Amino acid sequence: MTAPQPHGAGPAGPAGPADDLADDLAVYADLVHETDDGRWAFGTGFTDPLAGVDTRVPAGIDGGALAMYCRMLGDDALVHSQRLQEWVTRAPELEEETAIANIALDLLGQARRLLTRSGTADGSGRSEDDLAYWRAPHEFLSVPLADHRDADFAELVARVLLLATWRQAVCLELRHGADPVLAAIAASAATELRYHREHAALWVVRLGRGTELSHRRMQAAVDRLWPLRGELYRDPPVVARLPGVAVPAAAVRDAVEDALSGVLDRAGVDGPPPGPATGAGRDGHHGPDFAEMIDELQSVARAHPGASW
Amino acid sequence: MTGPATTPVEQRAWEVLAGVADPEMPAISIVDLGVVRGITCGNAGLEVTVTPTFAGCPATAEILAATGRTLRAAGLGEVRVVLQPAPPWTSDWITERGRRALAGAGIAPPDRPATAPTGDGSRTVDLDLRPPAPAVCPRCGSRHTVRTSAWGSAACRGLHRCRACGEPFEAVRAV
């Protein structure tokens, strides 16, 4: 393999029109010649997000419970990522489009690893694709906040702030958990989530302290979304089956509340208290829009089962 | 700057991988980017551990594939490439040579040390709303720059603009 030469790197010599043309053609040459370089976006054969990682479940940990817990965290990320992707081409400005797409990409990466961990923890051997594309909507275990359809940009940034703050707090705790695979996934996720949270917080403050209109819409978004965090503070039964592995809500609640109020205070926005939690979402019960979103997420995989490129 | 090597085969493998370009930033090798974490030579052949920059980085699969492909093509025998998700990659792992290569390609290297709270002591959710320190313009060296976008053409970079020379540039995020 020959390393591709970066354009513009190194000392630039005098370039005439002929050189420019050669450069232009070289770009296309990469696409048509059977070389290893320049074609990586079309598939490499490396598909396992935990390639070579020791995925044996440590003694004393309930593999089935661990798998379910990983599906919960993985589904939160997958579903939130999908909702963010719906905003691509609809963002208010190009820079924000890039940000939304990259946050969605990070969450997708976290979902891939968590779903892969799920399939290895319960011994089912189900891959990330099996779990993402071949489960029915009622088999997804995400919280209602994750699949909320944002009505406007204020809701989008409020929801990223809320979910990233909670998720980062959970991941910081998970780093010390008894399953080394989940701990490793969480450690890298925590640094990604911190950046998402900072970005969303800057927008919440900017809009909250902006014009009368932007403040009103930021406040409306928080009024709508903040009560939904009640579900984040209710432990699904599986948490009790994973002592030392799963993170109980009580371990993160205060830190999450402090971090959220810190941002809202600076934004001049009031945060309503958490609403009642019923366990919906974590038990497979979702709102009316959920099946439609999953249908779109799965449509290509189901139209071409087993397809590769 | 090629990591600890205890055998000639391992040393050779580090040298070979130092010639493998990062798919998204071809100016820098995967060794100088700090994603190659270890090379050990055992009875079953070489084992190479790789830590991706970000979980969702689409170049990860190609980095893993290129690592095995290149070492095998160099005649280094059996190669097993293993993903090592922890500890998470930090931009502090970019080598001095890598930092120079990035700057030479017009990409500002990240500030050091990175400020991400990765230490075990950071149990609280801190929130830093201060704007990031201005990046150094890779063209004119000025610090009189402004970040124009938190993310650039890849997850690991942001977009910046130099107020001194007026040129836009990318900077690798400090993480």
Side-chain angles (χ1 to χ4, degrees), chain A residues 129-146:
Chain A
D129 284 358
D130 293 335
L131 290 166
Y133 298 134
W134 299 99
R135 278 184 297 162
H138 70 270
E139 295 176 286
F140 282 79
L141 306 176
S142 51
V143 289
L145 256 177

Side-chain angles (χ1 to χ4, degrees), chain B residues 78-103:
Chain B
E78 285 299 307
V79 181
R80 185 164 174 266
V81 185
V82 174
L83 203 73
Q84 181 176 288
W89 180 83
T90 158
S91 51
D92 292 345
W93 292 349
I94 298 175
T95 65
E96 273 307 321
R97 186 172 62 185
R99 295 173 66 84
R100 286 194 299 273
L102 286 172

Side-chain angles (χ1 to χ4, degrees), chain B:
Chain B
M1 297 299 290
T2 51
T6 53
T7 72
V9 173
E10 288 166 5
Q11 182 61 46
R12 176 72 189 130
W14 281 107
E15 289 165 8
V16 168
L17 291 184
V20 176
D22 176 71
E24 291 204 340
M25 292 189 290
I28 189 171
S29 78
I30 58 175
V31 169
D32 285 327
L33 186 59
V35 298
V36 179
R37 299 314 300 158
I39 300 175
T40 53
C41 187
N43 292 333
L46 281 173
E47 180 170 299
V48 182
T49 48
V50 172
T51 300
T53 53
F54 294 88
C57 178
T60 300
E62 167 57 12
I63 290 172
L64 297 178
T67 297
R69 192 169 63 221
T70 312
L71 290 173
R72 279 186 283 268
L76 291 172
E78 285 299 307
V79 181
R80 185 164 174 266
V81 185
V82 174
L83 203 73
Q84 181 176 288
W89 180 83
T90 158
S91 51
D92 292 345
W93 292 349
I94 298 175
T95 65
E96 273 307 321
R97 186 172 62 185
R99 295 173 66 84
R100 286 194 299 273
L102 286 172
I107 301 171
D111 272 341
R112 283 186 308 182
T115 53
T118 51
D120 274 4
S122 59
R123 290 189 146 242
T124 55
V125 185
D126 71 315
L127 188 60
D128 187 353
L129 286 178
R130 288 171 302 175
V136 175
C137 174
R139 289 186 177 78
C140 74
S142 171
R143 271 258 180 209
H144 193 45
T145 63
V146 62
R147 190 180 75 175
T148 54
S149 182
W151 279 271
S153 57
C156 55
R157 280 168 281 170
L159 294 180
H160 302 250
R161 189 168 53 81
C162 179
R163 286 176 161 148
C165 69
E167 290 293 322
F169 63 94
E170 289 194 303
V172 175
R173 285 163 44 194
V175 293

Side-chain angles (χ1 to χ4, degrees), chain A residues 62-148:
Chain A
D62 179 339
L66 175 61
M68 176 182 266
Y69 186 63
C70 288
R71 284 201 300 282
M72 290 177 176
L73 296 174
D75 288 347
D76 286 346
L78 179 65
V79 163
H80 191 193
S81 176
Q82 180 72 12
R83 280 294 189 220
L84 289 173
Q85 289 168 50
E86 292 174 356
W87 274 79
V88 172
T89 72
R90 299 173 194 184
E93 55 188 24
L94 186 57
E95 290 78 3
E96 216 40 48
E97 181 121 328
T98 312
I100 292 166
N102 273 290
I103 292 171
L105 181 64
D106 283 344
L107 290 173
L108 192 61
Q110 294 172 21
R112 293 186 60 189
R113 289 177 170 186
L114 287 161
L115 294 181
T116 302
R117 180 50 177 152
S118 179
T120 54
D122 62 11
S124 69
R126 283 189 290 179
S127 69
E128 49 167 340
D129 284 358
D130 293 335
L131 290 166
Y133 298 134
W134 299 99
R135 278 184 297 162
H138 70 270
E139 295 176 286
F140 282 79
L141 306 176
S142 51
V143 289
L145 256 177
D147 70 277
H148 174 82

Side-chain angles (χ1 to χ4, degrees), chain A residues 114-222:
Chain A
L114 287 161
L115 294 181
T116 302
R117 180 50 177 152
S118 179
T120 54
D122 62 11
S124 69
R126 283 189 290 179
S127 69
E128 49 167 340
D129 284 358
D130 293 335
L131 290 166
Y133 298 134
W134 299 99
R135 278 184 297 162
H138 70 270
E139 295 176 286
F140 282 79
L141 306 176
S142 51
V143 289
L145 256 177
D147 70 277
H148 174 82
R149 190 191 290 262
D150 299 311
D152 61 10
F153 184 69
E155 286 195 4
L156 183 146
V157 293
R159 201 160 64 90
V160 170
L161 174 66
L162 187 44
L163 280 170
T165 303
W166 168 77
R167 198 172 168 82
Q168 185 199 9
V170 169
C171 284
L172 288 173
E173 291 294 321
L174 279 175
R175 293 178 307 163
H176 311 287
D179 176 37
V181 180
L182 181 54
I185 295 169
S188 67
T191 55
E192 296 168 4
L193 291 159
R194 181 177 192 267
Y195 201 62
H196 304 174
R197 195 163 59 89
E198 286 175 9
H199 184 72
L202 288 170
W203 270 115
V204 169
V205 171
R206 189 177 298 148
L207 295 174
R209 295 169 61 164
T211 65
E212 188 274 329
L213 174 65
S214 76
H215 172 82
R216 193 169 69 234
R217 292 181 70 161
M218 197 66 245
Q219 181 66 62
V222 168

